[in-house]
Amino acid sequence: MPILSARMGQLGTESAFEVLARANALQRAGRNIINLGIGQPDFPTPEHIVEAGRKALADGHHGYTPANGILPLREAVAADLHRRHGVEVSPERVLVVPGGKVTMFFAITMFGEEGAEIIYPNPGFPIYESVIRFSGATPVPLPSHESKGFSFSAEEVLALITPRTRLLILNSPANPTGGVVPRSELDQLVAGLARHPHVTILSDEIYGEMVYDGTHASLTTYPELADRLILLDGWSKTYAMTGWRLGYGVWPEALFPHAERLAINDHSCVNAAAQYAGIAALQGPREPVTRMVAAFAERRGYIIAALNGLPGIRCANPGGAFYAFPNIRDTGLDSRTLQSRLLDEAGIATVSGTSFGAFGEGYLRFSYAASLAALQEAIGRIGAWLERQNLGVRG
Ligand SMILES: Cc1ncc(COP(=O)(O)O)c(C=O)c1O
């Protein structure tokens, strides 16, 4: 019998992938499944980006690149951050990595150990809690509130900080809730963080270009945080590039060498052709992104209203990403049961709120990265299924 390290038992997973596997298995067995479970754009990568990747391969970019990424790509990242947020970021602080997740893994393992505390959103992207536990640190959940459009309260965040807190993970716009934290709340939080200089912040802004009401407030716009803010971003969502595995972190100067050393130990560098494609994404036409986000906005308008019309379900109107996170308590079913039964009996794949942490009980995540026709069909089937069960009769 192999003897694994104890920490392997602490590692969680992302159950959206399990839902995807089950949905695919049902589909192979001949069932018609509408998949609203997976968190990736249903658009292809724009052609000019694909072409840049193809050209890079044809041009012979087949070898290792510098571990931190090719300079033109890091310069393009810095220029993009300037375009979006008006901030000056040195390309020397940009670490290009294979996907958004890697910055998360590096930041958490860099700070996490027995006795350390890490604050993370719950419900939130499941990998935060998984890697915190893996690192040995104590996960400290930060609730988000349906009544506040799934934002958090700055006061509540600050109250969770102790002398043991090493890292504070924030995610806006958020997965799974779509919640967007308003600038006023960030202002309060940043002011309060001045009292806690020992805390580093990891800001996951991977959905930063998918905001439907107002604009995205980036933590990079607070110069007072520059020496303790790690920005997580990447190409997966904005440019429909989940399979290319391309992301980046912007690290404080003092932390950068540690992150780079982790990269060298972990993956050496990112696939060279993907890096050239990444330049084309940042420097090419914005129109494909605008068109995709406009499509998400239209679908969001539809699905939020339609979910609110279903018996036993009410849905807040989240400000970003491409997720709806309806409250399903009045159906009388727990989240996991509703997820399983909707998949097995109505052919609709969603993800139980509990897949995103214990505070996700009572909710289901719907990804609206699917055609309007698919969303309409899904709502029709769920409505009919709820009627058949005689569930969701509001008391
Ligand atoms: C909040 C959040 N952060 C990071 C990621 C990871 O992105 P990537 O696929 O680029 O690793 C995801 C992916 O779903 C996400 O939802």
Side-chain angles (χ1 to χ4, degrees), residues 99-101 104 125 128 171 175 204 206-207 236-237 245:
K101 265 182 184 167
M104 192 182 298
F125 189 53
Y128 305 137
N171 173 218
N175 178 6
D204 181 342
I206 202 153
Y207 296 99
S236 295
K237 316 287 174 176
R245 308 313 300 139

Side-chain angles (χ1 to χ4, degrees), residues 54-381:
R54 235 187 248 127
K55 181 170 182 317
L57 288 174
D59 288 351
H61 293 292
H62 303 165
Y64 292 122
T65 75
N68 54 344
I70 55 176
L71 180 60
L73 179 58
R74 288 181 289 112
E75 285 173 342
V77 166
D80 188 59
L81 290 170
H82 187 264
R83 175 185 69 79
R84 288 163 58 200
H85 309 310
V87 295
E88 299 292 339
V89 166
S90 162
E92 297 307 307
R93 295 205 288 122
V94 176
L95 184 71
V96 177
V97 283
K101 265 182 184 167
V102 180
T103 300
M104 192 182 298
F105 195 89
F106 285 3
I108 297 170
T109 47
M110 197 180 286
F111 287 98
E113 63 181 335
E114 295 278 306
E117 293 175 3
I118 298 181
I119 302 172
Y120 72 104
N122 187 332
F125 189 53
I127 301 306
Y128 305 137
E129 184 175 337
S130 164
V131 183
I132 295 168
R133 290 191 188 281
F134 179 71
S135 77
T138 305
V140 179
L142 166 66
S144 61
H145 299 287
E146 184 185 347
S147 60
K148 298 181 81 163
F150 291 110
S151 176
F152 58 69
S153 127
E155 255 173 58
E156 210 170 357
V157 181
L158 294 166
L160 293 174
I161 295 177
T162 75
R164 289 168 176 262
T165 307
R166 299 249 183 105
L167 187 66
L168 163 62
I169 303 176
L170 301 174
N171 173 218
S172 173
N175 178 6
T177 62
V180 170
V181 180
R183 183 168 287 281
S184 54
E185 208 68 54
L186 288 183
D187 286 347
Q188 272 190 50
L189 176 68
V190 173
L193 282 171
R195 297 196 304 274
H196 307 286
H198 63 294
V199 176
T200 297
I201 299 100
L202 169 64
S203 185
D204 181 342
E205 302 185 13
I206 202 153
Y207 296 99
E209 298 231 46
M210 290 161 187
V211 174
Y212 310 106
D213 303 321
T215 51
H216 167 57
S218 171
L219 276 176
T220 58
T221 57
Y222 294 86
E224 58 271 56
L225 290 185
D227 62 353
R228 54 182 171 132
L229 175 72
I230 303 163
L231 171 71
L232 181 161
D233 207 332
W235 286 257
S236 295
K237 316 287 174 176
T238 310
Y239 301 100
M241 291 178 72
T242 51
W244 293 72
R245 308 313 300 139
L246 190 62
Y248 66 86
V250 178
W251 294 80
E253 214 174 300
L255 295 181
F256 186 88
H258 299 284
E260 188 177 41
R261 193 168 315 160
L262 279 166
I264 292 167
N265 277 268
D266 182 65
H267 56 262
S268 298
C269 68
V270 173
N271 172 314
Q275 295 191 48
Y276 283 92
I279 299 174
L282 297 177
Q283 295 181 342
R286 306 298 311 156
E287 190 270 334
V289 177
T290 319
R291 193 156 28 94
M292 182 174 76
V293 175
F296 289 154
E298 184 190 13
R299 297 162 182 187
R300 165 180 175 262
Y302 167 73
I303 197 168
I304 304 293
L307 285 167
N308 276 312
L310 293 176
I313 292 183
R314 69 159 195 259
C315 189
N317 199 4
F322 41 71
Y323 305 112
F325 202 58
N327 183 320
I328 53 95
R329 287 210 171 89
D330 285 352
T331 64
L333 295 177
D334 66 73
S335 301
R336 176 128 332 237
T337 305
L338 188 56
Q339 172 204 287
S340 303
R341 293 192 59 189
L342 285 180
L343 181 54
D344 292 339
E345 298 170 28
I348 310 299
T350 60
V351 185
S352 162
T354 50
S355 294
F356 304 96
F359 295 172
E361 182 55 85
Y363 298 89
L364 269 193
R365 188 190 77 172
F366 286 70
S367 161
Y368 50 85
S371 72
L372 205 50
L375 295 178
Q376 285 162 343
E377 166 77 18
I379 293 290
R381 283 197 212 170

